[in-house]
Amino acid sequence: MTEVEKMRSGLPADMSVGEIQVRFERAQRLLARMRVMSTYETTYRELLEELLPGIPKSTIVCSPFYCDHGDGVSLGEHVFVNANCTFLDGGMITIGAHTLIGPCVQIYTPQHPMDYKERREPKETAYPVTIGEDCWIGGGAVICPGVTIGDRCVIGAGSVVTKNIPDDCIAVGNPAKVIKKA
């Protein structure tokens, strides 16, 4: 099993190996070029499609945008990702159709060991994050590794989502708690 396969399956992966470093470098080079462009430029869209394979034409990702790999991000139709978002996509990040992602939202899939001695090694695990359809993730929210947010949810600005949120809920706070169910 390759280190990329380990990373995507939630097993500890060695982040220092060449196959992972090449992926980081590729993504960072594309992102650096995109940061000096408007989302309205044809070249921006071409680079975005290279970074995020399979991105629908109806989906918008504003610059600046940051990610680790790019190919670990799957966006549905009519998704809108506002400026200054960070998606650490060692594990898969899947966002459903018609979902709005506010500015400065951070979605993390990597998880480092709790033991400080183990953390000295260049290894990490990654757990997928899934956000359903028709959601609104408020600006500055943080979505932690392994979280699933159901369909039609609203996550309040600045919230830190550490646990799954069921369909049709409004969740706010740190840690985010459901305050309303539809």
Side-chain angles (χ1 to χ4, degrees):
M1 181 179 277
T2 69
E3 294 303 310
V4 172
E5 290 168 336
K6 288 179 186 177
M7 175 182 71
R8 289 282 156 83
S9 63
L11 297 172
D14 185 343
M15 304 311 282
S16 68
V17 300
E19 71 177 302
I20 300 279
Q21 291 302 310
V22 165
R23 297 165 60 79
F24 285 145
E25 182 179 346
R26 176 192 161 278
Q28 294 311 304
R29 288 183 186 280
L30 289 168
L31 291 165
R33 292 174 59 197
M34 292 167 62
R35 276 194 287 276
V36 297
M37 296 179 184
S38 159
T39 56
Y40 298 100
E41 293 180 49
T42 304
T43 305
Y44 178 87
R45 186 65 195 197
E46 291 168 357
L47 292 171
L48 182 63
E49 290 173 2
E50 186 177 342
L51 179 67
L52 307 176
I55 183 173
K57 295 286 183 201
S58 63
T59 292
I60 297 169
V61 177
C62 296
S63 184
F65 173 74
Y66 306 92
C67 67
D68 283 340
H69 306 276
D71 64 354
V73 178
S74 175
L75 304 174
E77 294 283 344
H78 303 284
V79 168
F80 179 80
V81 178
N82 213 321
N84 215 27
C85 289
T86 300
F87 291 8
L88 300 186
D89 61 320
M92 289 299 297
I93 296 172
T94 304
I95 300 175
H98 300 279
T99 289
L100 307 174
I101 306 292
C104 302
V105 167
Q106 301 166 66
I107 302 176
Y108 302 142
T109 67
Q111 178 70 45
H112 299 282
M114 293 297 124
D115 180 87
Y116 75 94
K117 290 178 184 172
E118 290 177 29
R119 248 189 337 266
R120 292 177 182 172
E121 299 298 318
K123 291 192 176 192
E124 64 184 44
T125 53
Y127 302 102
V129 169
T130 302
I131 300 172
E133 294 186 356
D134 293 298
C135 293
W136 175 21
I137 311 299
V142 175
I143 315 298
C144 291
V147 165
T148 294
I149 297 172
D151 293 336
R152 299 169 302 280
C153 288
V154 175
I155 305 299
S159 295
V160 178
V161 184
T162 61
K163 295 188 182 336
N164 295 346
I165 305 293
D167 293 347
D168 302 302
C169 288
I170 298 173
V172 300
N174 181 3
K177 291 184 176 43
V178 173
I179 61 167
K180 183 177 180 185
K181 293 181 182 180

